[in-house]
Amino acid sequence: MTWFLNFLRGGAVGTSEALPGTSGGTVALIVRLYDDLINGAGHVLGGIRLTLTDGLRGRGLGAAKEEFKRGQWGVVIPALLGMATFLILAIVILEPIVHNHTQIVYAAFFGLVLGSLPIPYQESRSRWKLWNYGLALLFAIAAFLLLGLPRVDVVISLWTVFLSAAVAICALVIPGLSGSFILLTFGMYEPTLTAVRSVDIPYILTFAAGAATGLTAFVKLLQYLLTHKRHITMVILTGLMAGSLRALWPWDNQALDGPETPMFGLIIAMVIGFAVVTSILWLERRHTLTAQSH
């Protein structure tokens, strides 16, 4: 049952990444998967590094094996399988549906992310000081401006595919920033969707190589920050999530191209998204308090 739950949690992250402007990192925080994924990936990458360095120096693989054991495989493997499965399903099956109801989807996600802002705030596990709020505001403004950048047209080549994937995968693991939105800004979103649908092997392998390179370079840094600088990291992530709401604003968004939806319908969608996540947080807090009282 736990394996299937982690599969579904990963599926929620994968589905969100198919929508430009929707952050997989944000959804990972919402479903309480973020720490497990970052730490698990960090230990796996550490194991790979030790395998190469200790193996070449003749030191044996004992340290590498210990690092691999800490990879939280029971969470990471089903979550990654869920991410890949639901991402492909979202691209192939849900994308046409979302295209016809784009504003409604973005409005619902706007409410969901807005209601999720207390999550990184609570996950900081320390009392916020006045300067923490100022720092969060600074990063919110930075994210707001970044997500307002116009699209650029790049020449499609395997090299640009590699670089775009490396940058987009970093956005994947930062709550508030969307890998799909980065691809959209680079002009690589539609070519990537087309490559997946047509099973363009050279494109897909190059994209995977770029994503692996970017992830390797960034995950260890995030693992360190979450372990040793958790409070300030969560302050920054809270600001990034708040600023990312610009990418989900359903009335003025460069990612939207579906039919217009009446304002009343969009407001209802926002309220539903907000109510769903706040209800989950309330139930979770109530369960925690009940458990502590016993």
Side-chain angles (χ1 to χ4, degrees):
M1 185 63 180
T2 301
W3 191 97
F4 185 65
L5 178 60
N6 289 329
F7 178 83
L8 292 179
R9 291 161 74 195
V13 177
T15 301
S16 69
E17 275 302 314
L19 304 174
T22 310
S23 168
T26 298
V27 176
L29 270 175
I30 294 171
V31 298
R32 307 295 187 184
L33 193 59
Y34 191 75
D35 278 13
D36 289 336
L37 284 179
I38 297 300
N39 287 324
H43 289 305
V44 171
L45 293 173
I48 294 173
R49 178 182 61 81
L50 289 171
T51 298
L52 295 174
T53 57
D54 289 1
L56 291 174
R57 295 173 182 174
R59 296 178 178 176
L61 301 179
K65 290 179 180 178
E66 288 301 315
E67 190 71 5
F68 279 125
K69 288 180 181 178
R70 300 169 64 189
Q72 298 175 278
W73 298 103
V75 175
V76 172
I77 290 179
L80 290 178
L81 288 174
M83 287 173 63
T85 301
F86 279 80
L87 176 59
I88 293 172
L89 288 175
I91 290 174
V92 176
I93 299 174
L94 296 181
E95 196 271 338
I97 299 174
V98 172
H99 178 78
N100 294 324
H101 305 282
T102 314
Q103 283 188 300
I104 288 288
V105 172
Y106 275 75
F109 269 95
F110 184 96
L112 185 145
V113 173
L114 183 64
S116 303
L117 287 178
I119 294 177
Y121 181 89
Q122 295 167 356
E123 288 292 319
S124 67
R125 301 173 188 172
S126 298
R127 192 178 190 87
W128 281 40
K129 299 178 181 178
L130 182 61
W131 70 271
N132 293 148
Y133 290 97
L135 184 62
L137 178 61
L138 181 65
F139 275 87
I141 294 172
F144 183 88
L145 295 176
L146 175 64
L147 293 173
L149 293 176
R151 301 186 195 186
V152 296
D153 293 322
V154 299
V155 177
I156 306 298
S157 68
L158 292 183
W159 181 241
T160 56
V161 171
F162 182 92
L163 291 178
S164 298
V167 175
I169 199 68
C170 293
L172 168 66
V173 296
I174 302 178
L177 298 182
S178 162
S180 294
F181 195 89
I182 296 297
L183 291 178
L184 186 75
T185 302
F186 288 169
M188 299 294 292
Y189 182 71
E190 286 298 332
T192 302
L193 288 183
T194 301
V196 172
R197 294 193 189 105
S198 62
V199 195
D200 185 340
I201 299 300
Y203 189 110
I204 293 173
L205 290 179
T206 303
F207 191 93
T213 302
L215 196 63
T216 301
F218 198 67
V219 163
K220 292 299 289 183
L221 173 62
L222 264 181
Q223 184 187 26
Y224 172 83
L225 292 174
L226 288 173
T227 302
H228 300 285
K229 305 289 182 180
R230 183 177 186 85
H231 175 66
I232 196 66
T233 300
M234 286 298 169
V235 168
I236 292 172
L237 294 185
T238 302
L240 290 176
M241 281 181 61
S244 74
L245 289 170
R246 174 175 186 164
L248 297 170
W249 188 244
W251 286 282
D252 182 22
N253 191 312
Q254 62 170 309
L256 305 184
D257 54 6
E260 290 291 325
T261 303
M263 181 178 292
F264 180 75
L266 296 180
I267 293 175
I268 292 297
M270 280 185 181
V271 171
I272 291 175
F274 185 87
V276 167
V277 73
T278 51
S279 297
I280 292 173
L281 292 177
W282 180 78
L283 290 172
E284 184 181 73
R285 179 172 177 79
R286 183 177 180 182
H287 175 75
T288 301
L289 292 175
T290 302
Q292 290 176 347
S293 65
H294 292 292

